């Protein structure tokens, strides 16, 4: 088979790495890819949002299956365009991707389907939103409804922060049309878990649960990032709680989307908060998580291509999705200054040494090859994933890998997977 992966981050390097292990694959392309994907596939100089150019490449390149990493092309209708062109693709249509593309849609859907989530209100009008906010208490969450490159959610410790977040979103329009609607939600406390699932539109199969670390600093200090590390499986979601999430969240979501005439095919990512009053959906994403993918796929036993084909062909119930009885830890190394401004073009050393460590693999994100040398090209530069028989073993190995790698200004958290209870 000839397979095309769309995207350029650590998630897409991991997808490419796992797909490359499939005996069904002859040729693998990544558009546009990064320095890591260039080593195991052919990078194609097409932006992940250039849907007509991607259709053209898939047609002319006789691509048998396209796998989409990021949310933006999904929400923009990549899958619809591929379907219309008769090209096989893994991911939700634009209508189904609204579960992530519009937080207002998602909130209304959760309420209509009786799926547990936090109390919240949706606003088109800034003055009405501000009046509602003044009737609430901090801490409180303000969200832009549309896609905002992961920056549209504000967890506000004070009313002043919340007013500022609302003003930026709805008045200053820092996220553009993503701020046409805004949500104000109660701040939920508890353990956060990422539960991703494969769906063929009817059957939904949960993956093992993962824990993402979103803040830049140790102890969850500092601003939110795209994710500074991850581990799986999360001990906070044992099999009986996964079964509950399947019954109360995943299956009703897939059934509800099918009932609306917009079946959900692809990866459904439920961000869950385990509160004192039970599980609540924080958000849905319409794709694999980053960096969740970097710990999930190394633990997946199956040929990932089998699962993608089964989802695309509506026969996921035939697949026995199996996981290694092990633990994975991933630690992200980021550019100095990230998630604020940072410099690019710094030479990276030690990737080969880290990759040579047992049970360890380096997934690249913000990297590129320049004159045969690997240099930084983004905020989250790369992630080191290790597998171990215990979480502690995996953590120790991952940090050994991190210690091998260096570039000017490099930063990483030192507490990924620290202190998690044994599972
Ligand atoms: N890890 C968070 C996300 O992928 O959105």
């Amino acid at each position: 088979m000839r397979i095309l992966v769309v995207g350029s981050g650590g998630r897409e390097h991991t997808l490419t790495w796992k797909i490359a292990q499939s005996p069904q694959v002859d040729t693998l392309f990544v558009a546009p890819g990064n320095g890591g994907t260039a080593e195991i596939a052919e990078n194609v100089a097409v932006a992940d949002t250039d849907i007509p150019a991607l259709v053209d490449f898939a047609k002319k390149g006789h691509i048998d299956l396209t796998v989409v990493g990021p949310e933006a092309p999904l929400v923009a209708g990549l899958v619809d365009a591929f379907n219309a062109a008769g090209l096989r693709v893994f991911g939700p249509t634009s209508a189904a991707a609204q579960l992530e593309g519009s937080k207002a849609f998602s909130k209304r859907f959760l309420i209509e389907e009786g799926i547990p989530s936090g109390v919240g209100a949706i606003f088109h009008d800034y003055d009405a939103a501000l009046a509602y906010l003044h009737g609430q208490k901090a801490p409180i969450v303000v969200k832009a409804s549309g896609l905002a490159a992961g920056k549209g959610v504000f967890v506000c410790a004070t009313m002043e922060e919340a007013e500022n977040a609302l003003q930026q979103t709805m008045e200053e329009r820092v996220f553009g049309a993503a701020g046409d609607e805004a949500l104000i939600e109660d701040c939920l406390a508890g353990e956060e878990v990422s539960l991703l699932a494969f769906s063929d539109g009817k059957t939904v199969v949960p993956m093992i649960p993962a824990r993402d670390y979103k803040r830049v600093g140790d102890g969850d200090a500092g601003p939110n990032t795209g994710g500074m590390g991850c581990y799986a499986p999360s001990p906070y979601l044992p099999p009986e709680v996964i079964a509950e999430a399947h019954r109360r969240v995943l299956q009703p979501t897939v059934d509800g989307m099918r009932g609306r005439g917009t079946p959900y095919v692809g990866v459904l990512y439920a961000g869950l908060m385990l509160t004192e009053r039970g599980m609540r959906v924080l958000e849905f994403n319409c794709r694999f998580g980053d960096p969740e993918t970097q710990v999930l796929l190394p633990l997946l036993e199956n040929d990932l291509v089998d699962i993608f084909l089964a989802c695309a062909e509506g026969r996921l119930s035939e697949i026995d999705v199996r996981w290694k009885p092990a633990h994975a830890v991933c630690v992200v190394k980021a550019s100095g200054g990230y998630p604020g401004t940072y410099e690019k073009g710094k030479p990276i050393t030690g990737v080969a040494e880290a990759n040579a460590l047992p049970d360890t693999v380096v997934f690249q994100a913000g990297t590129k090859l320049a004159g045969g040398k690997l240099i930084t090209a983004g905020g989250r530069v790369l992630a080191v994933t290790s597998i171990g028989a215990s979480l502690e073993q995996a953590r120790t190995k991952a940090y050994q890998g991190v210690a091998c790698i260096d570039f000017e200004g490099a930063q990483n958290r030192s507490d990924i997977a620290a202190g998690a209870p044994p599972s």
Side-chain angles (χ1 to χ4, degrees), residues 11 212 214 226 269 283 285 287-292:
R11 166 183 49 210
D212 177 24
K214 293 201 172 75
Y269 168 149
E283 63 174 5
N285 294 317
R287 38 124 189 124
F288 277 101
D290 192 339
E292 284 89 341

Side-chain angles (χ1 to χ4, degrees), residues 98-99 102-115 117 122 249-260 262 264 268 284:
Q98 285 304 297
L99 280 178
S102 166
K103 292 191 171 63
F105 171 89
S106 181
K107 184 54 126 185
R108 291 186 190 106
F109 176 87
L110 288 164
I111 293 167
E112 284 167 20
E113 297 298 329
I115 299 168
S117 69
I122 304 165
V249 175
L250 300 174
Q251 195 64 58
T253 301
V254 169
D255 292 346
M257 292 303 280
R258 195 174 67 255
R260 283 165 170 74
T262 52
Y264 192 97
L268 175 64
F284 284 125

